[in-house]
Coordinates of all heavy atoms in Angstrom, one line a residue:
M27 N -35.6 -6.0 24.2 CA -35.6 -7.4 23.7 C -34.5 -7.6 22.7 O -33.9 -8.7 22.7 CB -37.0 -7.7 23.1 CG -37.1 -9.1 22.7 SD -38.8 -9.5 22.3 CE -38.6 -10.6 20.9
F28 N -34.3 -6.7 21.8 CA -33.3 -6.8 20.8 C -31.9 -6.9 21.4 O -31.1 -7.6 21.0 CB -33.4 -5.6 19.8 CG -32.3 -5.7 18.7 CD1 -32.4 -6.6 17.7 CD2 -31.2 -4.8 18.7 CE1 -31.5 -6.7 16.7 CE2 -30.3 -4.9 17.7 CZ -30.4 -5.8 16.7
E29 N -31.7 -6.1 22.5 CA -30.4 -6.1 23.2 C -30.2 -7.5 23.8 O -29.0 -8.0 23.8 CB -30.4 -5.0 24.2 CG -30.3 -3.6 23.6 CD -29.1 -3.4 22.7 OE1 -28.0 -3.8 23.1 OE2 -29.3 -2.8 21.7
D30 N -31.2 -8.1 24.3 CA -31.0 -9.4 24.9 C -30.7 -10.5 23.9 O -29.8 -11.3 24.1 CB -32.3 -9.9 25.6 CG -32.6 -9.1 26.9 OD1 -31.7 -8.5 27.4 OD2 -33.8 -9.1 27.3
L31 N -31.3 -10.3 22.7 CA -31.0 -11.2 21.6 C -29.6 -11.0 21.1 O -28.9 -12.0 20.9 CB -32.0 -11.0 20.5 CG -32.0 -12.0 19.3 CD1 -32.2 -13.4 19.8 CD2 -33.0 -11.6 18.3
K32 N -29.2 -9.8 21.0 CA -27.8 -9.5 20.6 C -26.8 -10.0 21.6 O -25.8 -10.6 21.2 CB -27.7 -8.0 20.4 CG -26.4 -7.5 19.8 CD -26.3 -6.0 19.6 CE -25.0 -5.6 19.1 NZ -24.9 -4.2 19.0
A33 N -27.1 -9.9 22.9 CA -26.2 -10.3 23.9 C -26.0 -11.9 23.9 O -25.0 -12.4 24.0 CB -26.6 -9.9 25.3
S34 N -27.2 -12.5 23.6 CA -27.2 -14.0 23.5 C -26.3 -14.4 22.3 O -25.6 -15.4 22.4 CB -28.6 -14.6 23.4 OG -29.3 -14.3 24.6
G35 N -26.5 -13.8 21.2 CA -25.7 -14.1 20.1 C -24.2 -13.9 20.3 O -23.4 -14.7 19.9
T36 N -23.8 -12.9 21.0 CA -22.4 -12.6 21.3 C -21.9 -13.7 22.3 O -20.8 -14.2 22.0 CB -22.3 -11.2 22.0 OG1 -22.8 -10.2 21.1 CG2 -20.8 -10.9 22.4
R37 N -22.7 -14.1 23.3 CA -22.2 -15.1 24.2 C -22.0 -16.5 23.4 O -21.1 -17.2 23.6 CB -23.2 -15.3 25.3 CG -23.1 -14.4 26.4 CD -23.9 -14.8 27.6 NE -25.3 -15.0 27.3 CZ -26.3 -14.1 27.4 NH1 -26.0 -12.8 27.7 NH2 -27.5 -14.4 27.1
F38 N -23.0 -16.7 22.5 CA -22.9 -18.0 21.7 C -21.6 -18.0 20.8 O -20.9 -19.0 20.8 CB -24.1 -18.1 20.8 CG -24.1 -19.3 19.9 CD1 -24.3 -20.6 20.4 CD2 -23.8 -19.2 18.6 CE1 -24.3 -21.7 19.6 CE2 -23.8 -20.3 17.8 CZ -24.0 -21.6 18.3
Q39 N -21.3 -16.8 20.2 CA -20.1 -16.7 19.4 C -18.8 -16.9 20.2 O -17.9 -17.6 19.8 CB -20.0 -15.4 18.7 CG -21.0 -15.2 17.6 CD -21.0 -13.8 17.0 OE1 -20.6 -12.9 17.6 NE2 -21.4 -13.7 15.7
R40 N -18.8 -16.4 21.4 CA -17.7 -16.6 22.3 C -17.5 -18.0 22.7 O -16.4 -18.5 22.8 CB -17.8 -15.7 23.5 CG -17.5 -14.2 23.1 CD -17.5 -13.3 24.4 NE -17.3 -12.0 24.0 CZ -17.5 -10.9 24.8 NH1 -17.8 -11.1 26.1 NH2 -17.3 -9.7 24.4
E41 N -18.6 -18.7 23.0 CA -18.6 -20.1 23.4 C -18.1 -21.0 22.3 O -17.3 -21.9 22.5 CB -19.9 -20.6 23.9 CG -20.2 -20.1 25.4 CD -19.1 -20.6 26.4 OE1 -18.8 -21.8 26.4 OE2 -18.6 -19.7 27.1
V42 N -18.5 -20.7 21.1 CA -18.0 -21.4 19.9 C -16.5 -21.3 19.8 O -15.8 -22.2 19.6 CB -18.7 -21.0 18.6 CG1 -18.0 -21.5 17.4 CG2 -20.2 -21.4 18.6
K43 N -16.0 -20.0 20.0 CA -14.6 -19.8 20.0 C -13.9 -20.5 21.1 O -12.8 -21.1 20.9 CB -14.4 -18.3 20.1 CG -13.0 -17.8 19.9 CD -12.8 -17.5 18.5 CE -11.5 -16.7 18.3 NZ -11.1 -16.7 17.0
V44 N -14.5 -20.7 22.3 CA -13.9 -21.4 23.4 C -13.7 -22.9 22.9 O -12.6 -23.5 23.1 CB -14.8 -21.4 24.6 CG1 -14.3 -22.4 25.7 CG2 -14.8 -20.0 25.2
Y45 N -14.8 -23.5 22.3 CA -14.6 -24.8 21.9 C -13.6 -25.0 20.8 O -12.9 -26.0 20.7 CB -16.0 -25.4 21.4 CG -17.0 -25.5 22.5 CD1 -18.2 -24.9 22.5 CD2 -16.7 -26.2 23.7 CE1 -19.1 -25.0 23.5 CE2 -17.5 -26.3 24.7 CZ -18.8 -25.7 24.6 OH -19.6 -25.8 25.7
Q46 N -13.4 -24.0 19.9 CA -12.4 -24.1 18.9 C -11.0 -24.1 19.6 O -10.1 -24.9 19.2 CB -12.5 -22.9 17.9 CG -13.6 -22.9 17.0 CD -13.8 -21.6 16.2 OE1 -13.2 -20.6 16.5 NE2 -14.5 -21.7 15.1
F47 N -10.8 -23.3 20.6 CA -9.6 -23.2 21.3 C -9.3 -24.6 22.0 O -8.2 -25.1 22.0 CB -9.6 -22.1 22.4 CG -9.2 -20.7 21.8 CD1 -9.7 -20.3 20.5 CD2 -8.4 -19.9 22.5 CE1 -9.4 -19.1 20.0 CE2 -8.1 -18.6 22.0 CZ -8.6 -18.2 20.8
V48 N -10.4 -25.1 22.6 CA -10.3 -26.4 23.3 C -9.8 -27.5 22.4 O -9.0 -28.3 22.7 CB -11.6 -26.8 24.0 CG1 -11.6 -28.2 24.5 CG2 -11.8 -25.8 25.2
L49 N -10.4 -27.5 21.2 CA -10.1 -28.6 20.2 C -8.6 -28.4 19.7 O -8.0 -29.4 19.4 CB -11.0 -28.6 19.0 CG -12.4 -29.1 19.4 CD1 -13.4 -28.9 18.2 CD2 -12.3 -30.5 19.8
R50 N -8.1 -27.2 19.7 CA -6.7 -27.0 19.2 C -5.7 -27.2 20.3 O -4.5 -27.4 20.0 CB -6.6 -25.5 18.7 CG -7.3 -25.3 17.4 CD -7.0 -23.9 16.9 NE -8.0 -23.6 15.8 CZ -8.6 -22.4 15.7 NH1 -8.4 -21.5 16.6 NH2 -9.4 -22.2 14.8
D51 N -6.2 -27.2 21.6 CA -5.2 -27.4 22.7 C -4.6 -28.8 22.6 O -5.3 -29.8 22.5 CB -6.0 -27.1 24.0 CG -5.0 -26.9 25.1 OD1 -4.3 -27.9 25.5 OD2 -5.1 -25.8 25.7
R52 N -3.3 -28.8 22.8 CA -2.6 -30.1 22.8 C -3.0 -31.0 24.0 O -2.8 -32.2 23.9 CB -1.1 -29.9 22.6 CG -0.5 -29.2 23.8 CD 1.0 -29.0 23.6 NE 1.5 -28.1 24.6 CZ 1.6 -28.3 25.9 NH1 1.2 -29.4 26.4 NH2 2.1 -27.4 26.7
R53 N -3.5 -30.5 25.0 CA -3.9 -31.2 26.2 C -5.3 -31.9 26.1 O -5.6 -32.7 26.9 CB -3.9 -30.4 27.4 CG -2.5 -29.8 27.8 CD -2.6 -28.7 28.8 NE -3.3 -27.6 28.3 CZ -3.8 -26.6 29.1 NH1 -3.6 -26.6 30.4 NH2 -4.5 -25.6 28.5
T54 N -6.0 -31.6 25.0 CA -7.3 -32.2 24.8 C -7.0 -33.6 24.2 O -6.4 -33.8 23.2 CB -8.1 -31.4 23.8 OG1 -8.3 -30.1 24.3 CG2 -9.5 -32.0 23.5
P55 N -7.6 -34.6 24.9 CA -7.4 -36.0 24.5 C -8.0 -36.3 23.0 O -8.9 -35.5 22.6 CB -8.2 -36.8 25.5 CG -8.3 -35.9 26.7 CD -8.4 -34.6 26.2
R56 N -7.5 -37.3 22.4 CA -7.9 -37.6 21.0 C -9.4 -38.1 21.0 O -10.1 -37.7 20.0 CB -7.0 -38.7 20.5 CG -7.3 -39.0 19.0 CD -6.3 -40.0 18.5 NE -5.0 -39.4 18.5 CZ -3.9 -40.1 18.4 NH1 -4.0 -41.4 18.2 NH2 -2.7 -39.5 18.4
L57 N -9.9 -38.8 21.9 CA -11.2 -39.4 21.9 C -12.3 -38.3 21.8 O -13.2 -38.3 21.0 CB -11.5 -40.3 23.0 CG -12.9 -40.9 23.1 CD1 -13.1 -41.8 21.8 CD2 -13.0 -41.8 24.3
P58 N -12.2 -37.2 22.6 CA -13.2 -36.1 22.5 C -13.2 -35.4 21.2 O -14.2 -35.1 20.6 CB -12.8 -35.2 23.6 CG -12.1 -35.9 24.6 CD -11.4 -37.0 23.8
K59 N -12.0 -35.3 20.6 CA -11.9 -34.7 19.2 C -12.6 -35.6 18.2 O -13.3 -35.1 17.3 CB -10.4 -34.5 18.9 CG -9.7 -33.5 19.7 CD -8.3 -33.3 19.2 CE -7.5 -32.3 20.1 NZ -6.2 -32.1 19.6
I60 N -12.4 -36.9 18.3 CA -13.1 -37.8 17.4 C -14.6 -37.8 17.6 O -15.3 -37.7 16.6 CB -12.5 -39.3 17.6 CG1 -11.1 -39.3 17.2 CG2 -13.4 -40.3 16.9 CD1 -10.4 -40.6 17.6
L61 N -15.1 -37.8 18.8 CA -16.5 -37.7 19.1 C -17.1 -36.4 18.5 O -18.2 -36.5 17.9 CB -16.8 -37.8 20.6 CG -16.4 -39.2 21.2 CD1 -16.7 -39.1 22.7 CD2 -17.3 -40.3 20.6
L62 N -16.4 -35.3 18.7 CA -17.0 -34.0 18.2 C -16.9 -34.1 16.7 O -17.9 -33.5 16.0 CB -16.2 -32.9 18.7 CG -16.3 -32.6 20.2 CD1 -15.4 -31.5 20.7 CD2 -17.8 -32.1 20.5
G63 N -15.9 -34.6 16.1 CA -15.9 -34.8 14.6 C -17.0 -35.6 14.1 O -17.7 -35.3 13.1
L64 N -17.3 -36.7 14.8 CA -18.5 -37.5 14.4 C -19.8 -36.8 14.5 O -20.7 -36.9 13.7 CB -18.5 -38.8 15.3 CG -17.5 -39.9 15.1 CD1 -17.6 -40.9 16.2 CD2 -17.7 -40.5 13.7
A65 N -19.9 -36.0 15.6 CA -21.2 -35.2 15.7 C -21.3 -34.2 14.6 O -22.4 -34.1 14.0 CB -21.2 -34.5 17.1
V66 N -20.3 -33.5 14.3 CA -20.4 -32.5 13.2 C -20.6 -33.2 11.9 O -21.4 -32.8 11.0 CB -19.1 -31.6 13.2 CG1 -19.0 -30.8 11.9 CG2 -19.0 -30.8 14.4
G67 N -19.9 -34.3 11.7 CA -20.0 -35.1 10.4 C -21.4 -35.6 10.3 O -22.0 -35.6 9.2
Y68 N -22.0 -36.1 11.3 CA -23.4 -36.7 11.3 C -24.4 -35.6 10.9 O -25.3 -35.8 10.1 CB -23.7 -37.3 12.6 CG -25.1 -38.0 12.6 CD1 -25.1 -39.3 12.0 CD2 -26.2 -37.5 13.1 CE1 -26.3 -40.0 11.9 CE2 -27.4 -38.1 13.0 CZ -27.5 -39.4 12.4 OH -28.7 -40.0 12.3
L69 N -24.2 -34.4 11.4 CA -25.0 -33.3 11.0 C -24.8 -32.8 9.5 O -25.8 -32.4 8.9 CB -24.8 -32.0 11.9 CG -25.3 -32.1 13.3 CD1 -24.9 -30.9 14.1 CD2 -26.9 -32.2 13.3
A70 N -23.6 -32.9 9.1 CA -23.3 -32.5 7.7 C -23.6 -33.5 6.6 O -23.9 -33.1 5.5 CB -21.8 -32.1 7.7
L71 N -23.5 -34.8 7.0 CA -23.8 -35.8 5.9 C -25.3 -35.9 5.5 O -26.2 -35.6 6.4 CB -23.3 -37.1 6.4 CG -21.8 -37.3 6.6 CD1 -21.5 -38.6 7.2 CD2 -21.1 -37.1 5.3
P72 N -25.5 -36.2 4.3 CA -26.9 -36.2 3.8 C -27.7 -37.4 4.2 O -28.9 -37.4 3.9 CB -26.7 -36.2 2.3 CG -25.4 -36.8 2.0 CD -24.5 -36.4 3.2
F73 N -27.2 -38.3 4.9 CA -27.9 -39.5 5.3 C -28.0 -39.5 6.8 O -27.2 -39.0 7.6 CB -27.4 -40.8 4.8 CG -26.0 -41.1 5.3 CD1 -25.8 -41.8 6.4 CD2 -24.9 -40.7 4.5 CE1 -24.5 -42.0 6.9 CE2 -23.6 -41.0 5.0 CZ -23.4 -41.6 6.2
D74 N -29.1 -40.2 7.4 CA -29.3 -40.3 8.8 C -29.5 -41.8 9.1 O -29.8 -42.6 8.2 CB -30.5 -39.6 9.3 CG -30.3 -38.1 9.3 OD1 -29.1 -37.6 9.4 OD2 -31.3 -37.3 9.2
I75 N -29.4 -42.2 10.4 CA -29.7 -43.5 10.8 C -31.2 -43.8 10.6 O -31.6 -44.8 10.1 CB -29.3 -43.8 12.3 CG1 -27.8 -43.7 12.4 CG2 -29.9 -45.1 12.8 CD1 -27.3 -43.7 13.9
I76 N -32.0 -42.8 11.0 CA -33.4 -42.8 10.7 C -33.8 -41.7 9.8 O -33.5 -40.5 10.1 CB -34.2 -42.7 12.0 CG1 -33.9 -43.7 13.0 CG2 -35.7 -42.7 11.8 CD1 -34.4 -43.5 14.4
P77 N -34.3 -42.0 8.6 CA -34.6 -40.9 7.6 C -35.5 -39.8 8.2 O -36.4 -40.0 8.9 CB -35.3 -41.6 6.5 CG -35.0 -43.1 6.7 CD -34.8 -43.3 8.1
D78 N -35.2 -38.5 7.8 CA -35.9 -37.4 8.3 C -37.3 -37.3 7.8 O -38.1 -36.5 8.4 CB -35.1 -36.1 8.0 CG -33.9 -35.9 8.9 OD1 -33.8 -36.6 9.9 OD2 -33.0 -35.1 8.5
F79 N -37.6 -38.0 6.7 CA -39.0 -37.8 6.2 C -40.0 -38.5 7.1 O -41.2 -38.3 6.9 CB -39.1 -38.3 4.8 CG -38.8 -39.7 4.5 CD1 -39.8 -40.7 4.8 CD2 -37.6 -40.1 4.1 CE1 -39.5 -42.1 4.6 CE2 -37.3 -41.5 3.9 CZ -38.3 -42.4 4.1
L80 N -39.6 -39.3 8.0 CA -40.5 -39.9 9.0 C -40.8 -38.9 10.1 O -39.9 -38.4 10.7 CB -39.9 -41.2 9.6 CG -39.6 -42.4 8.7 CD1 -38.8 -43.4 9.4 CD2 -40.8 -42.9 8.1
P81 N -42.1 -38.5 10.2 CA -42.5 -37.5 11.2 C -42.0 -37.8 12.6 O -42.0 -38.9 13.1 CB -44.0 -37.4 11.1 CG -44.4 -38.2 10.0 CD -43.2 -39.1 9.6
V82 N -41.5 -36.8 13.3 CA -41.0 -36.9 14.7 C -39.8 -37.9 14.9 O -38.7 -37.5 15.3 CB -42.1 -37.2 15.7 CG1 -41.6 -37.2 17.1 CG2 -43.3 -36.2 15.5
I83 N -40.0 -39.1 14.5 CA -39.0 -40.1 14.7 C -37.7 -39.8 13.9 O -36.6 -40.0 14.3 CB -39.5 -41.5 14.4 CG1 -40.6 -41.9 15.3 CG2 -38.4 -42.6 14.5 CD1 -41.4 -43.2 14.9
G84 N -37.9 -39.3 12.7 CA -36.8 -38.9 11.8 C -35.9 -37.9 12.4 O -34.7 -37.9 12.1
H85 N -36.4 -37.0 13.2 CA -35.5 -35.9 13.8 C -35.0 -36.3 15.2 O -34.2 -35.6 15.7 CB -36.3 -34.6 13.8 CG -36.6 -34.1 12.4 ND1 -35.6 -33.5 11.7 CD2 -37.7 -34.1 11.7 CE1 -36.2 -33.1 10.5 NE2 -37.4 -33.5 10.5
L86 N -35.6 -37.4 15.7 CA -35.1 -37.8 17.1 C -33.7 -38.2 17.1 O -33.0 -37.9 18.1 CB -36.0 -38.9 17.6 CG -37.2 -38.5 18.5 CD1 -38.0 -39.8 18.8 CD2 -36.7 -37.9 19.7
D87 N -33.2 -38.8 16.1 CA -31.8 -39.2 16.1 C -30.9 -38.0 16.1 O -29.9 -38.0 16.8 CB -31.5 -40.2 14.9 CG -31.7 -39.5 13.5 OD1 -32.5 -38.6 13.4 OD2 -31.0 -40.0 12.6
D88 N -31.3 -36.9 15.4 CA -30.5 -35.7 15.4 C -30.5 -35.1 16.8 O -29.5 -34.5 17.3 CB -31.0 -34.7 14.4 CG -30.8 -35.2 13.0 OD1 -29.9 -36.0 12.7 OD2 -31.6 -34.8 12.1
L89 N -31.7 -35.1 17.4 CA -31.9 -34.5 18.7 C -31.2 -35.3 19.9 O -31.0 -34.7 21.0 CB -33.3 -34.3 19.0 CG -34.0 -33.3 18.1 CD1 -35.5 -33.3 18.4 CD2 -33.4 -31.9 18.3
V90 N -31.0 -36.6 19.7 CA -30.4 -37.4 20.7 C -28.9 -37.7 20.5 O -28.1 -37.5 21.3 CB -31.2 -38.7 20.9 CG1 -30.6 -39.7 21.9 CG2 -32.6 -38.4 21.3
L91 N -28.6 -38.1 19.3 CA -27.3 -38.6 19.0 C -26.3 -37.5 19.0 O -25.2 -37.6 19.7 CB -27.3 -39.3 17.6 CG -25.9 -39.9 17.2 CD1 -25.6 -41.1 18.1 CD2 -26.0 -40.4 15.7
V92 N -26.5 -36.4 18.3 CA -25.5 -35.3 18.3 C -25.3 -34.7 19.7 O -24.1 -34.6 20.1 CB -26.0 -34.3 17.2 CG1 -25.1 -33.1 17.3 CG2 -26.0 -34.9 15.8
P93 N -26.3 -34.3 20.4 CA -26.0 -33.7 21.7 C -25.4 -34.8 22.7 O -24.5 -34.4 23.5 CB -27.4 -33.3 22.3 CG -28.2 -33.1 21.1 CD -27.7 -34.1 20.1
G94 N -25.7 -36.0 22.5 CA -25.1 -37.1 23.3 C -23.6 -37.2 23.0 O -22.8 -37.3 24.0
L95 N -23.2 -37.2 21.8 CA -21.8 -37.2 21.4 C -21.1 -36.0 22.0 O -20.0 -36.1 22.5 CB -21.6 -37.3 19.9 CG -22.0 -38.6 19.3 CD1 -22.0 -38.4 17.7 CD2 -21.0 -39.7 19.6
V96 N -21.7 -34.8 21.9 CA -21.1 -33.6 22.3 C -20.9 -33.6 23.9 O -19.8 -33.3 24.4 CB -21.9 -32.3 21.9 CG1 -21.4 -31.1 22.6 CG2 -21.8 -32.2 20.4
C97 N -21.9 -34.1 24.6 CA -21.9 -34.1 26.0 C -20.8 -35.1 26.5 O -20.0 -34.8 27.4 CB -23.2 -34.6 26.6 SG -24.4 -33.3 26.5
V98 N -20.7 -36.3 25.9 CA -19.7 -37.2 26.3 C -18.3 -36.7 26.0 O -17.4 -36.8 26.8 CB -19.9 -38.6 25.5 CG1 -18.7 -39.5 25.7 CG2 -21.2 -39.3 26.0
A99 N -18.1 -36.0 24.9 CA -16.8 -35.4 24.5 C -16.4 -34.4 25.5 O -15.3 -34.3 26.0 CB -16.9 -34.8 23.1
M100 N -17.4 -33.5 25.9 CA -17.1 -32.4 26.9 C -16.7 -33.0 28.2 O -15.9 -32.4 28.9 CB -18.3 -31.5 27.0 CG -18.6 -30.7 25.7 SD -17.2 -29.7 25.2 CE -17.2 -30.2 23.5
K101 N -17.3 -34.1 28.6 CA -17.0 -34.7 29.9 C -15.5 -35.3 29.9 O -14.9 -35.4 31.0 CB -18.0 -35.7 30.3 CG -19.4 -35.1 30.7 CD -20.3 -36.2 31.2 CE -21.6 -35.6 31.4 NZ -21.8 -34.9 32.6
L102 N -15.1 -35.6 28.8 CA -13.7 -36.2 28.7 C -12.6 -35.2 28.6 O -11.4 -35.6 28.7 CB -13.7 -37.2 27.5 CG -14.6 -38.4 27.5 CD1 -14.6 -39.1 26.2 CD2 -14.2 -39.3 28.7
I103 N -13.0 -34.0 28.4 CA -11.9 -32.9 28.2 C -11.7 -32.3 29.6 O -12.6 -32.0 30.4 CB -12.4 -31.8 27.3 CG1 -12.6 -32.3 25.9 CG2 -11.4 -30.6 27.3 CD1 -13.3 -31.4 24.9
P104 N -10.4 -32.2 30.0 CA -10.1 -31.7 31.4 C -10.7 -30.3 31.6 O -10.6 -29.5 30.8 CB -8.6 -31.7 31.4 CG -8.1 -32.6 30.3 CD -9.2 -32.6 29.3
K105 N -11.2 -30.1 32.8 CA -11.8 -28.9 33.2 C -10.8 -27.7 33.1 O -11.2 -26.6 32.7 CB -12.4 -28.9 34.6 CG -13.2 -27.7 35.1 CD -13.7 -27.9 36.4 CE -14.5 -26.8 37.0 NZ -14.3 -25.5 36.4
Q106 N -9.6 -28.0 33.4 CA -8.5 -26.9 33.4 C -8.4 -26.4 32.0 O -8.2 -25.2 31.8 CB -7.2 -27.5 33.9 CG -6.1 -26.5 33.9 CD -4.8 -27.1 34.3 OE1 -4.7 -28.3 34.6 NE2 -3.8 -26.3 34.3
V107 N -8.5 -27.3 31.0 CA -8.4 -26.8 29.6 C -9.5 -25.9 29.3 O -9.3 -24.8 28.7 CB -8.3 -28.0 28.6 CG1 -8.4 -27.6 27.2 CG2 -7.1 -28.9 28.9
F108 N -10.7 -26.3 29.6 CA -11.9 -25.4 29.4 C -11.8 -24.1 30.1 O -12.0 -23.0 29.5 CB -13.2 -26.1 29.9 CG -13.9 -26.8 28.8 CD1 -14.1 -28.2 28.9 CD2 -14.5 -26.1 27.8 CE1 -14.8 -28.9 27.9 CE2 -15.2 -26.8 26.8 CZ -15.4 -28.1 26.8
D109 N -11.4 -24.1 31.3 CA -11.3 -22.9 32.1 C -10.2 -21.9 31.5 O -10.5 -20.7 31.3 CB -10.9 -23.1 33.6 CG -12.0 -23.9 34.3 OD1 -13.2 -23.8 33.8 OD2 -11.7 -24.4 35.4
E110 N -9.1 -22.4 31.1 CA -8.1 -21.6 30.5 C -8.5 -21.0 29.2 O -8.3 -19.9 28.9 CB -6.8 -22.4 30.4 CG -6.1 -22.6 31.7 CD -4.8 -23.5 31.6 OE1 -4.3 -23.7 30.5 OE2 -4.4 -24.0 32.6
C111 N -9.1 -21.9 28.3 CA -9.6 -21.4 27.0 C -10.7 -20.4 27.2 O -10.7 -19.4 26.4 CB -10.0 -22.6 26.2 SG -8.7 -23.7 25.7
R112 N -11.6 -20.6 28.1 CA -12.7 -19.7 28.3 C -12.1 -18.3 28.8 O -12.6 -17.3 28.3 CB -13.7 -20.2 29.3 CG -14.9 -19.4 29.5 CD -16.1 -20.1 30.2 NE -16.7 -21.0 29.2 CZ -16.8 -22.3 29.4 NH1 -16.3 -22.9 30.4 NH2 -17.4 -23.0 28.5
T113 N -11.2 -18.3 29.7 CA -10.6 -17.1 30.2 C -9.9 -16.4 29.1 O -10.0 -15.2 28.9 CB -9.6 -17.4 31.3 OG1 -10.3 -18.1 32.4 CG2 -9.0 -16.2 31.9
Q114 N -9.2 -17.1 28.2 CA -8.5 -16.5 27.1 C -9.4 -15.8 26.2 O -9.2 -14.7 25.8 CB -7.6 -17.6 26.4 CG -6.8 -17.0 25.3 CD -6.0 -18.2 24.6 OE1 -6.1 -19.3 25.0 NE2 -5.2 -17.8 23.6
V115 N -10.5 -16.5 25.8 CA -11.5 -15.9 24.8 C -12.2 -14.7 25.4 O -12.3 -13.7 24.8 CB -12.5 -17.0 24.4 CG1 -13.6 -16.4 23.7 CG2 -11.8 -18.0 23.5
W116 N -12.6 -14.8 26.7 CA -13.4 -13.8 27.3 C -12.6 -12.5 27.6 O -13.1 -11.4 27.5 CB -14.2 -14.2 28.5 CG -15.4 -15.1 28.1 CD1 -15.4 -16.4 27.8 CD2 -16.7 -14.6 27.9 NE1 -16.7 -16.8 27.5 CE2 -17.5 -15.7 27.6 CE3 -17.3 -13.4 28.1 CZ2 -18.9 -15.6 27.3 CZ3 -18.7 -13.3 27.8 CH2 -19.4 -14.4 27.4
T117 N -11.3 -12.7 27.9 CA -10.4 -11.5 28.1 C -10.1 -10.9 26.8 O -9.9 -9.7 26.7 CB -9.1 -11.9 28.9 OG1 -8.4 -13.0 28.3 CG2 -9.5 -12.3 30.3
E118 N -9.9 -11.7 25.7 CA -9.6 -11.1 24.4 C -10.8 -10.2 23.9 O -10.5 -9.2 23.3 CB -9.5 -12.2 23.4 CG -8.2 -12.9 23.3 CD -8.1 -13.9 22.2 OE1 -9.1 -14.0 21.4 OE2 -7.1 -14.6 22.1
H119 N -12.0 -10.6 24.2 CA -13.2 -9.9 23.7 C -13.8 -8.9 24.7 O -14.8 -8.4 24.4 CB -14.2 -10.9 23.2 CG -13.8 -11.7 22.0 ND1 -13.0 -12.8 22.2 CD2 -13.9 -11.4 20.7 CE1 -12.8 -13.3 20.9 NE2 -13.3 -12.4 20.0
S120 N -13.2 -8.7 25.8 CA -13.8 -7.8 26.8 C -13.4 -6.4 26.6 O -13.9 -5.5 27.2 CB -13.4 -8.2 28.3 OG -12.0 -8.1 28.4
D121 N -12.5 -6.1 25.7 CA -12.1 -4.8 25.4 C -13.1 -3.9 24.8 O -13.9 -4.3 24.1 CB -10.8 -4.8 24.6 CG -9.6 -5.5 25.3 OD1 -9.6 -5.5 26.5 OD2 -8.8 -6.1 24.6

């Protein structure tokens, strides 16, 4: 079980690295970069559209808005950019 958890953590770290490469790639359009910035900023800022102290409803905006922004941004990034960045990251770390 510990090995599975460790493998999941490693895969997650590599995928985060893939997204970093994608954001740095000059072929990535500006709009997805802005959307991802908004998603990260919304998570980091101390205020929410719906305050978190409201049970269930307060966390719904975090659970809907942030993944929604990320999904839209990912759909706007060319598949070729993702594929090349993923290959680059996974070949770097396969040694």
Side-chain angles (χ1 to χ4, degrees):
M27 183 169 144
F28 181 71
E29 291 300 320
D30 291 340
L31 188 59
K32 186 177 176 182
S34 294
T36 301
R37 280 193 305 272
F38 179 75
Q39 287 176 336
R40 287 183 182 172
E41 282 301 308
V42 168
K43 189 90 166 163
V44 168
Y45 292 126
Q46 289 174 341
F47 277 39
V48 166
L49 288 174
R50 289 185 192 134
D51 195 296
R52 60 179 168 69
R53 297 171 294 169
T54 301
R56 186 176 295 162
L57 181 59
K59 291 180 181 182
I60 291 169
L61 292 175
L62 290 173
L64 287 172
V66 170
Y68 187 77
L69 284 175
L71 291 176
F73 61 88
D74 288 336
I75 294 172
I76 302 171
D78 286 341
F79 64 81
L80 296 172
V82 181
I83 298 171
H85 294 285
L86 264 175
D87 62 336
D88 295 335
L89 294 173
V90 173
L91 185 65
V92 173
L95 287 171
V96 171
C97 287
V98 171
M100 294 302 130
K101 289 183 186 281
L102 295 173
I103 297 171
K105 185 178 180 338
Q106 180 183 2
V107 174
F108 262 116
D109 292 343
E110 289 176 13
C111 291
R112 185 166 283 119
T113 301
Q114 183 179 358
V115 168
W116 283 85
T117 55
E118 277 182 8
H119 293 86
S120 64
D121 300 330

